[in-house]
């Protein structure tokens, strides 16, 4: 009888551990989205690894800018120079852009920053009803959880906020994926 009880308690403990391990990113993502929607800057600062997020955003915007330069025939031979300067230009803009307010606006609006660098400050204001943002959540791997934001008026554009595991049950926003979804 005692051996069966110990086995059942051990099984229950393992089940609780696995459940907590699997649900912890959902709770962290939900807390991030709620803090962003309410504009709670201290909560957002606790939920975001700003250096890692900045590095990820720099990489994504640089790649997007280079891809747009390659497609633009008007630049001609200057596109190579632009591709060399893109990381520097993007780096300065991202360092100024990535703030709790900007992340909050990104979550509320479901829109990625554009590589046009002329506009660094996020727009804050009520969104029209046509810009409803849909969320989907899911694991990318055991240590990466994505919150994908898609706007109803731009279904082919999406922003995936990547939360990375920091310890057994802790998660922080540490990256962004701006790639277009597969058709």
């Amino acid at each position: 009888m005692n051996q069966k009880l110990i086995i059942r308690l051990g099984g229950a403990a393992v089940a609780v551990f696995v459940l907590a391990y699997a649900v912890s990113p959902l709770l962290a993502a939900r807390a991030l989205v709620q803090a962003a929607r309410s504009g709670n800057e201290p909560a957002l600062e606790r939920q975001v690894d700003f250096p890692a997020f900045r590095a990820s955003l720099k990489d994504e915007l640089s790649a997007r800018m280079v891809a747009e330069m390659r497609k633009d025939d008007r630049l001609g031979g200057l596109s190579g120079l632009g591709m060399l300067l893109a990381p520097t230009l993007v780096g300065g803009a991202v360092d100024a852009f990535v703030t709790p307010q900007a992340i909050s606006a990104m979550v509320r609006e479901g829109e990625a920053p554009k590589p046009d660098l002329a506009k660094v400050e996020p727009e804050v204001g009520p969104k029209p009803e046509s810009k409803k943002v849909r969320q989907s959540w899911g694991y990318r791997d055991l240590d990466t959880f994505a919150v994908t934001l898609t706007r109803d008026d731009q279904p082919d554009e999406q922003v995936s906020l990547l939360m990375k595991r920091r310890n057994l049950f802790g998660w922080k926003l540490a990256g962004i994926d701006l790639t277009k979804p597969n058709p």
Side-chain angles (χ1 to χ4, degrees), residues 100-150:
Q101 300 90 356
I103 291 173
S104 180
M106 199 182 308
V107 170
R108 282 193 317 267
E109 297 170 12
E111 199 167 30
K114 303 292 182 208
D116 62 352
L117 303 181
K119 185 177 117 187
V120 174
E121 290 297 317
E123 293 179 15
V124 177
K127 62 180 179 207
E129 199 59 38
S130 66
K131 292 185 180 180
K132 186 174 180 183
V133 178
R134 300 202 183 275
Q135 297 174 10
S136 60
W137 303 2
Y139 279 97
R140 294 264 173 109
D141 59 47
L142 280 178
D143 294 328
T144 307
F145 188 81
V147 178
T148 303
L149 307 169
T150 308

Side-chain angles (χ1 to χ4, degrees), residues 49-59 94-99 174:
D49 179 352
F50 283 100
F53 187 80
R54 283 185 182 104
S56 176
L57 185 58
K58 287 176 189 178
D59 292 343
V94 166
D95 289 339
F97 176 81
V98 177
T99 62

